[in-house]
Amino acid sequence: MRQRSLIAITAALTAGALTLTACGSRDDKDDGDKADGGGTTVVIGVDAPLTGELSALGLGIRNSVDLAAKQANAKEYVDGVTFKIQALDDQGQPSSGQTNATKLVADKDVLGAVGPLNSSVAESMQKVFDDAKLVQVSPANTNPALTQGPDWNGGKKARPYKSYFRTATTDAIQGPFAAQYLYNKAKKKKVFVVDDKKTYGAGLAATFKDEFTKLGGKVVGTEHINPDTKDFGAVATKIRNSDADLVYYGGEYPQAGPLSKQMKQAGSKAPLVGGDGIYSADFIKLSGKQGVGDYATSVGQPVEELPSAKEFIANYKKAGFKEAYEAYGGYSYDSAWAIIEAVKKVVEDNDGKLPDDARAKVIEAMKGVSFDGVTGKVSFDEFGDATNKQLTVYQVKSTDPKAGWKPVESGTYTGSN
């Protein structure tokens, strides 16, 4: 087993490499409408939870893809091509995701899809897209098995689907990154681990627990919760009685917020920590004053602190979106732009027009995509994983949903022999 280390970021990311132009107000027409002018219409599909408990994250994903498409059009980035988006709501449900994937595949104008948010939803979509040779780029999926196969942790990495890529790093990195910070920097030694039994939550909790115990930490209790309930009284009592100085939750903010509140009300003084699934303004709303002091990890550096993201933030505001871009806005923009870059190469390689096998060609072009994006360098390894493996630890410092999360540590998680 390799010893891993946490390496602090020592240099800022490449600034402002994408020159972005301001776009106008948001078009209220159906996202899938065809262009009124001539030329070729290329549709970028979007799948995310646009309604329901996770919609805060999903709407940020949709809006950021919409912004990318509009800016590509404003710049006439691909000669003769107009980009449109078609956004579909999966409500965080695998069955809806699979239905949406089938719908996108059936539209011949769709040459790529951004999403989904949830790893469990991605599992239901991958084969549908792969069979149709339609590229999929997720800004948020973090389960390692999606790109490296079910035996990724046993030394048998194998890419299941060649059409699947992601701009977010994985839980193979995120869980251990959190464990190292909390054990070494925050000096937490006893953890109670809770998860929601879903693909993302259970997988993330497992990678955290594995690294935490390797470092010398002790797991003083484990529990699985039903994500369909908000009554965590029994679990809160177990946490209080465990004498844990940390609670790690594998899951998302709709459950993490109430769990944090209820375990503190039951008498626990341990902070709750989770992954990118709880890093949302809505977590602060749900946890209230009991959530102050809690932690979350999320992919990349804080977008607000990246010189390369200043124009994205300004243009997002100028576009007039009602919803915040949230945790995955920059990654969604970069995911859409990766598809745009791949389409551009395919068109240029075919004398300025799309070939009959454009979908397959876009997948091939995606392998070589490399550009300086909002979130840093955007490119993919042999598994379709992001080469950008930066992460940040955040802590809730106040009950202000818009400003309560503050970064406390940024870096990359890497192995050393």
Side-chain angles (χ1 to χ4, degrees):
M1 202 65 66
R2 293 187 302 173
Q3 181 181 1
R4 300 176 174 98
S5 61
L6 185 65
I7 302 175
I9 288 178
T10 57
L13 293 175
T14 304
L18 274 181
T19 303
L20 307 178
T21 57
C23 62
S25 61
R26 185 181 172 203
D27 187 351
D28 290 326
K29 294 180 181 180
D30 178 51
D31 292 329
D33 285 351
K34 303 299 182 188
D36 293 330
T40 301
T41 296
V42 169
V43 177
I44 299 174
V46 182
D47 178 86
L50 305 179
T51 59
E53 292 183 322
L54 294 171
S55 61
L57 298 176
L59 292 168
I61 291 172
R62 181 199 66 186
N63 295 348
S64 299
V65 176
D66 190 21
L67 180 62
K70 287 178 176 176
Q71 295 207 331
N73 292 338
K75 295 173 68 174
E76 298 182 349
Y77 192 71
V78 181
D79 188 38
V81 171
T82 299
F83 291 95
K84 291 282 189 178
I85 75 165
Q86 182 179 11
L88 302 178
D89 181 13
D90 64 31
Q91 296 185 311
Q93 300 299 318
S95 58
S96 296
Q98 188 173 71
T99 299
N100 291 346
T102 302
K103 182 176 180 180
L104 292 173
V105 162
D107 184 345
K108 64 180 178 59
D109 292 332
V110 176
L111 293 189
V114 175
L117 169 69
N118 307 84
S119 292
S120 56
V121 176
E123 286 180 321
S124 75
M125 304 176 79
Q126 285 181 303
K127 188 176 187 304
V128 177
F129 284 136
D130 202 65
D131 286 348
K133 294 181 173 58
L134 181 63
V135 76
Q136 174 185 11
V137 187
S138 174
N141 299 157
T142 54
N143 187 276
L146 296 172
T147 49
Q148 299 177 21
D151 297 325
W152 67 271
N153 203 24
K156 297 181 180 179
K157 296 180 181 180
R159 188 175 183 180
Y161 300 104
K162 294 181 179 179
S163 62
Y164 179 87
F165 298 78
R166 53 179 153 199
T167 54
T169 194
T170 75
D171 295 333
I173 298 169
Q174 183 174 201
F177 178 85
Q180 288 202 346
Y181 173 80
L182 292 160
Y183 185 86
N184 294 326
K185 301 289 183 67
K187 304 301 182 183
K188 302 299 182 183
K189 309 302 180 184
K190 295 180 291 184
V191 65
F192 195 106
V193 180
V194 184
D195 71 66
D196 62 3
K197 299 183 287 187
K198 296 196 292 185
T199 301
Y200 163 73
L204 180 59
T207 62
F208 173 88
K209 184 168 63 174
D210 183 53
E211 182 72 5
F212 193 77
T213 54
K214 287 177 185 176
L215 292 169
K218 182 179 180 182
V219 177
V220 295
T222 59
E223 191 64 62
H224 306 289
I225 59 100
N226 178 358
D228 295 327
T229 185
K230 296 298 184 294
D231 181 3
F232 304 120
V235 178
T237 299
K238 290 181 180 180
I239 291 170
R240 181 197 65 201
N241 294 338
S242 72
D243 197 32
D245 58 11
L246 177 72
V247 174
Y248 191 87
Y249 178 68
E252 295 147 336
Y253 66 81
Q255 295 74 36
L259 175 60
S260 176
K261 176 177 283 189
Q262 292 173 39
M263 71 185 215
K264 312 292 178 42
Q265 290 172 337
S268 173
K269 295 181 180 180
L272 181 142
V273 60
D276 53 317
I278 80 166
Y279 177 57
S280 170
D282 280 26
F283 173 83
I284 297 176
K285 295 175 185 177
L286 292 167
S287 60
K289 63 181 181 180
Q290 287 84 7
V292 175
D294 288 348
Y295 296 91
T297 52
S298 192
V299 294
Q301 281 186 286
V303 170
E304 294 77 12
E305 296 183 3
L306 293 175
S308 56
K310 287 182 179 179
E311 290 184 85
F312 163 73
I313 294 170
N315 289 328
Y316 191 95
K317 183 177 181 180
K318 190 175 293 185
F321 297 112
K322 296 178 181 178
E323 306 86 9
Y325 51 79
E326 282 278 352
Y328 304 108
Y331 288 88
S332 302
Y333 185 96
D334 284 347
S335 294
W337 204 264
I339 293 172
I340 292 165
E341 290 281 6
V343 170
K344 181 179 177 68
K345 177 169 174 48
V346 169
V347 169
E348 289 178 347
D349 288 351
N350 194 54
D351 298 325
K353 60 183 184 298
L354 287 170
D356 292 338
D357 60 344
R359 287 181 173 179
K361 288 289 199 304
V362 167
I363 292 175
E364 287 301 310
M366 188 65 69
K367 296 176 183 178
V369 161
S370 180
F371 62 95
D372 293 309
V374 167
T375 59
K377 190 73 174 180
V378 179
S379 59
F380 307 98
D381 65 15
E382 69 270 28
F383 298 102
D385 281 328
T387 56
N388 183 348
K389 304 195 184 297
Q390 295 162 336
L391 291 139
T392 298
V393 178
Y394 296 85
Q395 188 174 30
V396 180
K397 298 290 190 178
S398 76
T399 56
D400 180 357
K402 293 184 178 179
W405 286 111
K406 298 295 183 183
V408 294
E409 179 92 359
S410 290
T412 56
Y413 179 80
T414 185
S416 60
N417 293 324

